[in-house]
Amino acid sequence: MFRLDGEVSVSYGQIYVVSDPCGHSPRMHEAFAGQNSGLCGAAVPGALFLSTGLHTGNVGFTVEVRSQAPALDPAWEEVVEVSFYPLSEQSFLLQWAGEASWELDLKEGLDYRVRYCAQGMDQAREKDVRLDDEPLQDRYLLQFWPAPPEPDRIVRQTSQNAAYSHDWARQQPDAEFRVRAIMAQRRAHLTPEGAESFRDAESPDPTADMAVISREADPQSVREQVRALSSYPTALPWDWVATFDAEHAPDDRVGYLQAFLEEIGEHAFALGTVLASLDSGQNYYLAFVTPTEFEQLSRLLTAHRMSAESVRYGRWTPRASPEQIAGSSAIRAWAIANGYKVSAAPGVAMTAPLVSLEALEAAESDRPA
């Protein structure tokens, strides 16, 4: 088990965990967007925003990285849990303005559950500033362990300070909630445990944001799954299916399904909705999103070494087989030899850097009164 224990200095009641290579800390209203809890903000990818009762001074602070979920000590007065996904090989506990940092033993590419516990928040908030020769007012415990993504939750709440912070978090606008939900569902499906929680073609889930469709699925089950999605565009027409069936050979199941999904994507696009295909493996992972959500999803997936494509005619290219790649290379070599230039279609190459903390005045105004 990895463990850090001692005192850390906080300013404006804030300290952070960052895994962005640039080491930037998130802004408060972004970190808590869409959350039910207001002590540990995890809405910005690769970062945690940790709130304390004390405004300025040293607090007791312990960090643990465990192999499994630890037992909850009843002595802690405030307890919240969130999920966290490191974006680089190095993660740090970071003081305000980068005044000091401590490296944490977290692995890139692994989902963690995080438990943030607190004691003495109300008395520390009343004290406001603690001098070096004064006794500790509040203590905190931050625990990590590997676990599939889950929504944030309040495990225990006793203080007025925590209650106020939770209420403040629930009032924050959440422009990226669906995008994060789709990402969490896709990442959860990468693990056997997460896959068990997803529906199959026989049992569509009306609350899901993403459909997991087998490459061998029949059109009727596909139709049921996409119609069951929470973001399904109700005006999407289906009067084209009979003509489509007459024009496509049903014996080529994979090619038939790909064309069927492209047809759905074209009609959705005409309604102002994007049918997004998330980085695929043996199945198709599909979600209806707005164009803005698609841009956000592409950025976040890129940061997680995945990708998203718009399912439309001529725009959606499922992962090529080695034979297809070899054939494409031969065609390209022939074209170059014959004086033609062959270039790949432009792809998304955007990153999702964390937003730098604003100046001292902005940080002060971010903190709830």
Side-chain angles (χ1 to χ4, degrees), residues 62-73:
T62 301
V63 182
E64 296 177 348
V65 181
R66 294 173 171 263
S67 59
Q68 58 186 5
L72 177 59
D73 188 336

Side-chain angles (χ1 to χ4, degrees), residues 154-229:
I154 301 170
V155 180
R156 184 178 300 155
Q157 182 260 304
T158 64
S159 70
Q160 293 182 352
N161 186 81
Y164 185 90
S165 295
H166 297 328
D167 183 64
W168 176 86
R170 297 184 194 107
Q171 298 177 36
Q172 300 312 300
D174 182 26
E176 297 186 5
F177 179 77
R178 284 200 62 247
V179 171
R180 294 197 308 276
I182 292 169
M183 277 200 60
Q185 291 178 35
R186 177 65 185 97
R187 295 210 317 267
H189 205 270
L190 295 175
T191 66
E193 296 80 6
E196 293 177 1
S197 67
F198 282 78
R199 69 195 178 293
D200 55 29
E202 303 301 323
S203 55
D205 180 355
T207 66
D209 291 287
M210 184 182 71
V212 183
I213 296 175
S214 167
R215 292 178 185 266
E216 301 298 325
D218 63 89
Q220 182 59 35
S221 68
V222 171
R223 184 170 176 175
E224 291 175 358
Q225 283 191 266
V226 298
R227 292 186 68 172
L229 293 176

Side-chain angles (χ1 to χ4, degrees), residues 54-358:
L54 193 72
H55 182 280
T56 304
N58 281 14
V59 302
F61 210 97
T62 301
V63 182
E64 296 177 348
V65 181
R66 294 173 171 263
S67 59
Q68 58 186 5
L72 177 59
D73 188 336
W76 293 105
E77 299 165 349
E78 320 299 331
V79 182
V80 299
E81 290 185 0
V82 299
S83 290
F84 178 69
Y85 184 89
L87 295 183
S88 70
E89 295 180 357
Q90 292 183 307
S91 298
F92 298 90
L93 180 69
L94 184 71
Q95 287 185 184
W96 192 87
E99 294 170 347
S101 64
W102 299 264
E103 186 169 0
L104 306 178
D105 186 21
L106 300 176
K107 300 184 183 302
E108 180 184 11
L110 183 64
D111 284 293
Y112 290 90
R113 192 63 175 171
V114 182
R115 181 182 294 159
Y116 186 47
C117 309
Q119 288 178 327
M121 293 195 75
D122 279 350
Q123 66 187 40
R125 185 61 182 272
E126 184 176 352
K127 177 67 176 175
D128 195 46
V129 178
R130 179 204 169 203
L131 303 179
D132 291 341
D133 59 349
E134 294 179 330
L136 279 173
Q137 299 294 314
D138 46 349
R139 300 175 183 271
Y140 301 88
L141 171 65
L142 185 66
Q143 297 173 309
F144 297 82
W145 65 91
E150 296 180 27
D152 74 294
R153 69 186 187 108
I154 301 170
V155 180
R156 184 178 300 155
Q157 182 260 304
T158 64
S159 70
Q160 293 182 352
N161 186 81
Y164 185 90
S165 295
H166 297 328
D167 183 64
W168 176 86
R170 297 184 194 107
Q171 298 177 36
Q172 300 312 300
D174 182 26
E176 297 186 5
F177 179 77
R178 284 200 62 247
V179 171
R180 294 197 308 276
I182 292 169
M183 277 200 60
Q185 291 178 35
R186 177 65 185 97
R187 295 210 317 267
H189 205 270
L190 295 175
T191 66
E193 296 80 6
E196 293 177 1
S197 67
F198 282 78
R199 69 195 178 293
D200 55 29
E202 303 301 323
S203 55
D205 180 355
T207 66
D209 291 287
M210 184 182 71
V212 183
I213 296 175
S214 167
R215 292 178 185 266
E216 301 298 325
D218 63 89
Q220 182 59 35
S221 68
V222 171
R223 184 170 176 175
E224 291 175 358
Q225 283 191 266
V226 298
R227 292 186 68 172
L229 293 176
S230 60
S231 55
Y232 170 74
T234 56
L236 190 68
W238 294 97
D239 55 1
W240 49 268
V241 175
T243 302
F244 178 89
D245 282 340
E247 296 176 349
H248 292 78
D251 54 337
D252 179 12
R253 174 60 64 188
V254 175
Y256 177 94
L257 181 60
Q258 177 183 331
F260 189 77
L261 293 173
E262 289 177 339
E263 188 77 33
I264 296 174
E266 284 292 330
H267 287 285
F269 189 79
L271 299 173
T273 300
V274 177
L275 179 57
S277 172
L278 283 65
D279 193 83
S280 298
Q282 295 181 346
N283 302 313
Y284 294 121
Y285 300 87
L286 304 172
F288 289 111
V289 295
T290 67
T292 299
E293 288 171 341
F294 181 75
E295 292 179 4
Q296 295 171 343
L297 189 61
S298 296
R299 289 197 297 268
L300 293 179
L301 283 167
T302 298
H304 287 255
R305 293 176 173 81
M306 293 189 284
S307 63
E309 295 176 292
S310 175
V311 180
R312 293 180 60 197
Y313 288 128
R315 294 176 178 267
W316 184 40
T317 307
R319 185 171 296 166
S321 67
E323 294 78 9
Q324 291 171 322
I325 294 174
S328 176
S329 299
I331 294 172
R332 182 176 291 106
W334 178 88
I336 293 174
N338 286 271
Y340 298 97
K341 293 183 178 180
V342 179
S343 59
V348 177
M350 303 177 67
T351 58
L354 300 180
V355 180
S356 301
L357 195 68
E358 296 294 333

Side-chain angles (χ1 to χ4, degrees), residues 28-41:
M28 189 173 187
H29 71 278
E30 295 172 333
F32 290 94
Q35 290 198 180
N36 187 53
S37 59
L39 297 182
C40 181

